[in-house]
Amino acid sequence: MTRHIRDHPRQDVGAEARANGLSLRPRDLRLLPVLGGVWVFAGVVTANPELALPVAVIAWLLTGAGVVLAARRGHALLLLIAAAVAVTSMHVALQAPARAAVMELPSRVSGTLTVLSKPAPAWQGAWRVSGTFAGADLTAPADLLFSGDRPPDLDLGAVVSVRARVEAPERGGRALLALRASRPPEVITPPSGALAVAALLRHGLIEGTRLFPGDGAQLIPGMAVGDTSGVSAGLDEAMKRSSLAHLLAVSGSNCLLVVGAGFALAAALRLPRGTRVFVALGALASFVILVTPEPSVVRAAAMCAVSMLALLLGRAKIGLHVLSVAVIVLLCTDPWLATEIGFALSVAATAALLVLGPPAARTVAGILPMWMAVPLAAPLVAQLACAPILVLITPRVSLSGVLANVLAAPAAPVATLAGMLACFFVAVPVLGHVLIAIAWVPAQWVASTARLSASLPQSVLPWQEGLLGALTLAAVCAAIAVLLVRAGPLALRRAAVGVVLVSVGIGAGAWVVRTTVTPLLTPSTWSVAMCDVGQGDATVLRAAGRVALVDTGPDPAVLDACLDRLAIERVDLLVLTHFDLDHVGGAATVVGRADVVLHGPTDGQADAALVDGFRRGGARVVDARRGLSGELGDARWRVLWPSSDRIVGNPASVVLEVTGDRFPAALLLGDLDAEAQRGLLRAGGLRATYDIVKVSHHGSADQEPRLYGALRPRLALIGVGRANDYGHPREDTLDMLRALGTVIARTDEDGLLLAATTNGELRVWREHAPP
């Protein structure tokens, strides 16, 4: 009897993935080990420059051995890794003489700085530029931070005279020298040639947008040429919370628009294909000069070239090869890119668009029309790739970011392209302003989308800090990506479903704890609260239902979380003691929520702009001067310092005293230095004793012991960040307080702090109670 045997073909687990467009094979990824090795070693030697020379020597020896064995198959990758690591390490090792000379510099230096970047706002009232410093028998890359207004001619290519204090540079950074000046540098030689023309065009665009109202006018320079100096703190925070901040940086998408426009123009003129490519590259080079050829811009241009090549070839795997080569070359020429978050974001987003973009679009197209699927899939895969990196900067995840990007997607290219054209033609009568008007409409749409997205309840989910948080989020994003592109065997997809479900459950539980359990465990009877905002100050005072907030800390999201926890929606009195970032960086959270704003002396346009933002938000703005007083519920407040407007910065910090029958007598010292503390002591008017004193300047060593001896506080509150770079609070300051019998509470160890007087007894509650 003949038996008929049914032929069951062997299951191909990769068939569905290939059908969706994801068909990467091992040879498509063969350059990734080289990229990974170079990236890791570049990060190691830039963070630890003392290792650069030994690593370079070993890598050159391995390269030599690899050349000998190059004929043998299997040694090519090792040869490439060794050679790339050797080149990368030599870049860092060659800086050793300059690095040694920097260690011998005096505390203050004079010289010149050739500016190699656009001036960027560092914080309110301060600017940062990078360049090459020459002086004190030294030439070295340097970062300059200065206070005051930006000189009009200060731009890329300028040479400025610098007299500044020498500070320790950021470890692993490109600069060997960190300079800090209390006043703007003097421009010796303004930019010339093409750089001068580019600066003139950028400034013309900024001036032109000032004729238009609303948030849209603030966004146009940022979206077109990456200049965010005119973006208000509130709008900047809204863009970050809605995951739209990438639109304000010169990115691969900007470069792609320029290349596309140049290519389309050449095609319309029926030029040969080679000429079209030449025109497109010329347009890209002109754009790079316009927005300044900083490392981030060069990086974006390189990523754009990779994306364009992959698009023209229509093959993601070729794009991955070219992307790998581009990243390796960039790291070899500039190893400090390895530790730049922006570089990692560019690479991750480009790789995600190349590999996951097409299959994700096909998956979404099964639900939505293709014209909707592509705009949705692109920001989704980019956010999946970038989220684990972004959480290293700010431990939070935007839940509305994908939707905000989808809504902004049609408008962003129009605003960017019209803004760039306006930049080139802004000097042409009528035409320049017409182009700005065209850009303003979509830019206003983007700004409104950001504001709406950021205002949604629970639009931001707090996340675990540090490497653990990044790895956890990476696992979640990888699981979502597997489900989105429907790749891999069935077991892998089932595991991905499990990861997503567990993550949703944990997230829902964390939301319940944060919104319900934590408020129930937090005492409701308090008079003074110090928020845990990291390295900064944010102190809340409450009396008979009225609320005062003294300073806002450095981060709007962190302050917002603290105010939510304390059930505070409006602020009757906001006090900005001075305008350093760690005291006003979170101001965007309370713009439009404060009735009266009391502020210290302003120093420059940035400070004035922040104050004006509160005024436009409906607040009554008052200059704080000694002798000013008012009521807060059944308590009373007095300003004891500053005594004049001739001082600015830390010595001019507003000192606030708050007292009442049922309110603990409190004195908040801002960031007064020792000399200003002595001035406060001489001015008189202090009480014989205080229940609570907010210690000046996060417990720094710059204190006047006689002042604290006169105050004799029962409780000292110190707002300070964990593992800060300043060594705050200093042990001498803590010993001084202990000698007075003062109880010390500090946010870095104790978290949120609450204090109140109950039956004449002062009580303090610490979020992280000691065992």
Side-chain angles (χ1 to χ4, degrees):
M1 184 175 70
T2 302
R3 294 195 308 173
H4 298 279
I5 302 175
R6 176 178 289 179
D7 183 21
H8 292 279
R10 185 175 61 185
Q11 183 181 10
D12 186 352
V13 296
E16 185 177 359
R18 286 193 295 273
N20 277 329
L22 185 64
S23 56
L24 297 177
R25 290 165 291 185
R27 70 167 179 264
D28 300 329
L29 308 175
R30 58 183 179 270
L31 284 179
L32 290 186
V34 182
L35 187 155
V38 175
W39 201 321
V40 169
F41 276 97
V44 169
V45 297
T46 52
N48 304 276
E50 65 277 4
L51 299 179
L53 184 58
V55 170
V57 171
I58 295 172
W60 281 123
L61 292 175
L62 291 176
T63 302
V67 171
V68 175
L69 301 174
R72 296 182 56 186
R73 185 176 179 82
H75 291 282
L77 286 181
L78 293 177
L79 173 62
L80 285 175
I81 293 174
V85 169
V87 172
T88 301
S89 302
M90 282 303 298
H91 272 286
V92 182
L94 290 174
Q95 283 193 337
R99 189 174 292 106
V102 166
M103 300 298 292
E104 303 299 324
L105 287 176
S107 59
R108 298 191 68 86
V109 295
S110 299
T112 62
L113 184 78
T114 302
V115 179
L116 300 178
S117 70
K118 292 194 302 287
W123 57 73
Q124 300 296 332
W127 295 83
R128 187 188 304 277
V129 293
S130 299
T132 302
F133 175 78
D137 299 323
L138 171 74
T139 300
D143 287 335
L144 170 64
L145 180 70
F146 66 89
S147 301
D149 296 338
R150 168 187 172 179
D153 291 333
L154 180 61
D155 217 309
L156 180 75
V159 178
V160 300
S161 175
V162 175
R163 178 171 175 78
R165 185 171 73 248
V166 177
E167 296 183 346
E170 180 182 357
R171 186 172 180 83
R174 189 177 286 101
L176 295 182
L177 192 60
L179 304 173
R180 183 160 186 166
S182 58
R183 61 184 60 185
E186 178 185 353
V187 178
I188 302 174
T189 306
S192 60
L195 294 178
V197 174
L200 186 64
L201 292 175
R202 289 196 305 274
H203 294 161
L205 176 64
I206 295 171
E207 291 299 321
T209 57
R210 288 176 179 165
L211 300 176
F212 292 81
D215 292 337
Q218 299 179 33
L219 290 188
I220 292 173
M223 298 181 71
V225 295
D227 192 311
T228 60
S229 58
V231 178
S232 67
L235 181 57
D236 180 64
E237 175 61 16
M239 295 291 286
K240 291 176 180 177
R241 289 175 69 91
S242 57
S243 293
L244 293 174
H246 62 92
L247 297 178
L248 297 179
V250 176
S251 63
S253 59
N254 298 72
C255 298
L256 193 62
L257 281 172
V258 172
V259 170
F263 200 89
L265 177 61
L269 296 175
R270 298 187 176 182
L271 298 176
R273 185 177 183 83
T275 306
R276 296 177 192 178
V277 173
F278 180 79
V279 170
L281 291 178
L284 180 60
S286 300
F287 177 69
V288 168
I289 294 174
L290 174 65
V291 299
T292 68
E294 302 172 16
S296 60
V297 177
V298 174
R299 176 187 70 227
M303 295 300 103
C304 167
V306 170
S307 300
M308 282 297 295
L309 180 60
L311 182 63
L312 291 174
L313 296 174
R315 301 174 67 188
K317 60 185 179 183
I318 297 296
L320 279 181
H321 286 322
V322 181
L323 173 63
S324 300
V325 171
V327 173
I328 292 169
V329 171
L330 286 171
L331 287 171
C332 287
T333 56
D334 187 0
W336 293 272
L337 288 173
T339 55
E340 288 190 6
I341 294 293
F343 181 67
L345 290 173
S346 290
V347 175
T350 304
L353 291 172
L354 289 174
V355 177
L356 301 178
R362 291 187 180 93
T363 301
V364 179
I367 305 172
L368 300 172
M370 181 59 76
W371 65 270
M372 294 178 63
V374 174
L376 178 62
L380 179 57
V381 297
Q383 193 153 349
L384 287 175
C386 295
I389 303 172
L390 288 171
V391 82
L392 290 171
I393 307 173
T394 306
R396 62 187 185 188
V397 177
S398 174
L399 300 180
S400 58
V402 174
L403 179 59
N405 275 273
V406 171
L407 292 174
V414 179
T416 301
L417 188 57
M420 287 189 292
L421 291 174
C423 189
F424 281 107
F425 295 104
V426 70
V428 179
V430 182
L431 179 58
H433 289 95
V434 168
L435 289 169
I436 293 176
I438 294 173
W440 181 87
V441 176
Q444 187 66 29
W445 171 264
V446 171
S448 299
T449 301
R451 295 276 194 188
L452 176 62
S453 174
S455 66
L456 295 175
Q458 305 302 323
S459 62
V460 175
L461 177 67
W463 199 264
Q464 172 69 41
E465 294 184 75
L467 182 60
L468 178 60
L471 293 176
T472 305
L473 187 57
V476 175
C477 291
I480 296 174
V482 167
L483 298 178
L484 181 63
V485 302
R486 294 183 292 181
L490 182 61
L492 177 62
R493 283 181 276 174
R494 285 177 175 172
V497 171
V499 170
V500 172
L501 291 177
V502 170
S503 301
V504 171
I506 294 175
W511 179 81
V512 171
V513 170
R514 190 177 75 256
T515 60
T516 305
V517 177
T518 300
L520 290 176
L521 296 177
T522 303
S524 58
T525 56
W526 55 269
S527 299
V528 178
M530 176 168 274
C531 294
D532 180 10
V533 294
Q535 183 67 12
D537 275 355
T539 308
V540 186
L541 312 171
R542 187 178 65 178
R546 299 293 183 180
V547 172
L549 172 64
V550 182
D551 289 330
T552 67
D555 189 333
V558 177
L559 176 64
D560 192 40
C562 182
L563 295 181
D564 283 347
R565 182 172 182 179
L566 298 174
I568 294 172
E569 296 182 0
R570 289 204 64 82
V571 174
D572 299 283
L573 174 66
L574 171 65
V575 181
L576 302 177
T577 61
H578 61 298
F579 290 88
D580 283 355
L581 181 67
D582 54 341
H583 291 257
V584 299
T589 293
V590 284
V591 171
R593 298 169 62 182
D595 295 331
V596 178
V597 176
L598 196 67
H599 66 87
T602 58
D603 182 21
Q605 295 178 352
D607 297 358
L610 177 63
V611 171
D612 189 58
F614 279 103
R615 186 180 288 109
R616 286 186 280 109
R620 182 166 63 91
V621 175
V622 180
D623 288 338
R625 293 292 180 270
R626 179 178 172 83
L628 195 65
S629 63
E631 295 181 351
L632 181 72
D634 57 2
R636 187 164 186 82
W637 57 265
R638 287 195 302 154
V639 174
L640 302 183
W641 192 267
S643 57
S644 73
D645 59 0
R646 292 192 298 272
I647 53 176
V648 294
N650 288 353
S653 294
V654 176
V655 174
L656 192 74
E657 176 192 87
V658 185
T659 58
D661 293 338
R662 289 177 292 180
F663 193 95
L667 186 69
L668 288 77
L669 294 173
D671 273 3
L672 290 189
D673 59 14
E675 183 177 353
Q677 291 176 28
R678 288 190 286 270
L680 176 64
L681 190 58
R682 288 193 300 269
L686 296 168
R687 290 168 57 95
T689 184
Y690 287 88
D691 296 309
I692 300 172
V693 166
K694 201 289 297 183
V695 177
S696 177
H697 205 185
H698 323 292
S700 74
D702 196 11
Q703 310 286 345
E704 174 50 62
R706 289 183 299 162
L707 174 65
Y708 291 89
L711 302 178
R712 303 198 65 83
R714 299 165 64 188
L715 172 65
L717 300 180
I718 304 177
V720 62
R722 301 171 185 83
N724 63 84
D725 296 332
Y726 309 98
H728 296 164
R730 293 299 181 94
E731 197 60 36
D732 290 347
T733 300
L734 298 177
D735 289 342
M736 174 191 68
L737 293 169
R738 295 187 189 107
L740 295 172
T742 302
V743 174
I744 300 171
R746 42 194 283 190
T747 56
D748 60 336
E749 294 181 352
D750 303 325
L752 173 66
L753 303 170
L754 304 176
T757 302
T758 304
N759 298 325
E761 182 180 356
L762 181 64
R763 295 181 179 273
V764 59
W765 177 87
R766 309 167 195 252
E767 180 181 15
H768 307 306

